[in-house]
Amino acid sequence: MGLVTLVTWLITAMVGVYLLYLWLSGGGLSRQATKVTRFPAVLIFAHPALAVSALGCWVAYMLTSERAFAWASFGMLAAVALLGFAMFTRWLGGGRHARGAEQRLPVFAVLLHGVAGVATFVLVLLAAAVATGL
């Protein structure tokens, strides 16, 4: 299960890197005309930073079989999921938020990243639970 989780995680990461590239090449933060932004910088950069940290813990779990690494990975991934959900809801709704580079993100890539992210989240939870004997 650990290897399937890793593959799912890498698919999620590759699509996420693609979305970040599109956002940055579309102007990124420079396209944010007002102080109220759809995607604040801390949100944009905390999401992948935490995801990479969680992936590091997952690789450590796979190499050592230490349950603490699996649960640490899950905990960080929970924070990543919350940040991702915040970006997704901001991407969906317009309203009072400024419109910027995120308008150009392809729907398919956003949905693929989200679905793969949810699958990864569930697989990490299941693997951590199995490792613990729950």
Side-chain angles (χ1 to χ4, degrees):
M1 184 184 300
L3 190 57
V4 172
T5 304
L6 183 62
V7 169
T8 306
W9 207 321
L10 292 176
I11 290 168
T12 306
M14 286 188 297
V15 178
V17 167
Y18 172 69
L19 289 170
L20 182 61
Y21 166 77
L22 289 178
W23 185 77
L24 289 172
S25 67
L29 290 175
S30 65
R31 294 250 351 242
Q32 306 288 359
T34 65
K35 289 186 180 186
V36 178
T37 64
R38 290 183 85 178
F39 287 7
V42 70
L43 185 60
I44 289 293
F45 298 109
H47 178 73
L50 274 172
V52 168
S53 299
L55 179 58
C57 283
W58 186 254
V59 170
Y61 163 70
M62 289 184 60
L63 294 174
T64 65
S65 296
E66 284 291 324
R67 295 180 306 218
F69 285 125
W71 285 112
S73 182
F74 174 73
M76 284 187 270
L77 202 53
V80 170
L82 289 173
L83 292 172
F85 184 73
M87 283 193 291
F88 180 68
T89 56
R90 284 174 170 248
W91 177 75
L92 280 179
R96 62 183 170 79
H97 297 292
R99 296 200 175 261
E102 64 276 358
Q103 281 181 303
R104 300 170 52 186
L105 298 178
V107 173
F108 179 75
V110 172
L111 293 178
L112 178 61
H113 182 68
V115 168
V118 168
T120 302
F121 181 80
V122 170
L123 287 170
V124 168
L125 173 60
L126 291 174
V130 167
T132 306
L134 297 178

